[in-house]
Amino acid sequence: MPDPQSRLCGPRRIVCLTEEPTEVLYALGEQDRIVGISGFTVRPPRARREKPKVSAFTSAKIDEILKLEPDFVVGFSDIQADIAAELVRRGVEVWISNHRSVAGIIDYVRRLGALVGAGGRADAWADELQRGLDDIAAEAARLPRRPRVYFEEWDEPPITGIRWVAELVRIAGGDDVFPELAAESLAKQRILADPLEVARRAPDIILGSWCGKKFRPEKVAARPGWDAIPAVRDGELHEVKSPIILQPGPAALTDGVGEIARIIRDWSQKARLP
């Protein structure tokens, strides 16, 4: 249950421009502070029923947000810079986080919790999230072999996975085949100039999460020159739903990494068969 004292601390009317602050605040029992959410929010499901939807990702209904009289707006990344700037010009306090790593997500939970007077509960939950990752890493360490993994977050053009995704693949027991691109924060910097580079790096598993549209493994398998990729040859093309992996929030550290770990475990069992 929320600490009654937390009601005296921090902002009381919060608009969340992305899903992760909504998920965090609900988990901490501070959902009554939320007055508006992103239209892309799916976690928790009740948020879509309870809160007005006032933004997409790159756009927002500024006038609708202002009607909600927020005293704090939370967004994510440079992609929402224009939204943030307009709200600031209109007198609203805005926090744009820009975390891109697993450690950054855990720290985000702590910071957002502290901002609403729920620092103790946020710290406890962040510690729990870290323990969950540690347990997955310990199990992954017992795998006989680590698969090479290609993660694709968009198909036209092909865009490789962002840093926290590559880190979660590693925690789950695999090795991202484009570690140098994972370090790039912007999607345009992770576009593959030559899709055949995937074939040259020969991933054992291909994971697709096409940012809001269904992953089509048959389309991936039909790409010119990809038929010899181990993952294509062995049918190891899997979708990881974007809401559980492409949001830099708790979902990625729980359901997202859990799904990746399951796929890698299944691959490992098949790889050991004669």
Side-chain angles (χ1 to χ4, degrees), residues 16-240:
C16 301
L17 298 177
T18 55
E19 180 181 81
E20 59 275 5
T22 300
E23 185 176 9
V24 170
L25 291 172
Y26 266 86
L28 296 177
E30 298 293 338
Q31 64 271 12
D32 289 349
R33 297 175 185 266
I34 301 173
V35 296
I37 63 172
S38 164
F40 291 125
T41 300
V42 297
R43 294 170 63 101
R46 60 182 284 203
R48 292 188 64 83
R49 301 190 301 268
E50 297 175 347
K51 308 295 182 180
K53 293 173 279 293
V54 295
S55 71
F57 192 55
T58 59
S59 63
K61 302 172 184 176
I62 300 297
D63 289 338
E64 293 300 313
I65 291 174
L66 294 175
K67 287 178 184 177
L68 295 171
E69 300 182 340
D71 55 5
F72 197 54
V73 173
V74 184
F76 172 71
S77 88
D78 50 283
I79 295 176
Q80 296 192 320
D82 291 341
I83 301 171
E86 180 60 23
L87 289 169
V88 169
R89 283 192 289 266
R90 304 286 286 270
V92 180
E93 185 174 351
V94 180
W95 176 37
I96 297 293
S97 63
N98 209 18
H99 54 289
R100 308 295 177 115
S101 66
V102 169
I105 295 172
I106 291 176
D107 186 56
Y108 175 81
V109 170
R110 298 185 193 277
R111 287 188 291 159
L112 184 54
L115 283 167
V116 298
R121 277 175 280 127
D123 285 343
W125 187 33
D127 291 343
E128 180 182 334
L129 291 170
Q130 183 63 63
R131 285 192 297 272
L133 294 175
D134 292 343
D135 289 345
I136 289 173
E139 183 175 355
R142 295 191 287 271
L143 295 175
R145 186 160 71 91
R146 299 177 65 87
R148 295 169 58 78
V149 179
Y150 168 58
F151 186 98
E152 185 173 279
E153 71 175 52
W154 194 248
D155 60 328
E156 296 176 344
I159 298 176
T160 64
I162 198 166
R163 178 178 170 182
W164 72 78
V165 173
E167 291 175 348
L168 291 174
V169 166
R170 186 161 57 251
I171 288 168
D175 291 311
D176 178 59
V177 296
F178 288 102
E180 75 282 10
L181 294 182
E184 300 289 350
S185 62
L186 300 180
K188 65 182 180 181
Q189 296 170 327
R190 289 180 276 110
I191 293 173
L192 289 180
D194 180 6
L196 283 176
E197 184 59 26
V198 177
R200 288 188 283 271
R201 300 197 185 195
D204 301 295
I205 296 172
I206 293 175
L207 302 177
S209 189
W210 287 351
C211 198
K213 71 176 182 179
K214 184 174 176 58
F215 177 62
R216 299 283 300 279
E218 71 280 6
K219 289 185 64 176
V220 174
R223 291 173 182 171
W226 283 41
D227 55 319
I229 295 175
V232 174
R233 181 194 63 212
D234 299 335
E236 293 289 346
L237 296 91
H238 306 273
E239 181 175 31
V240 181

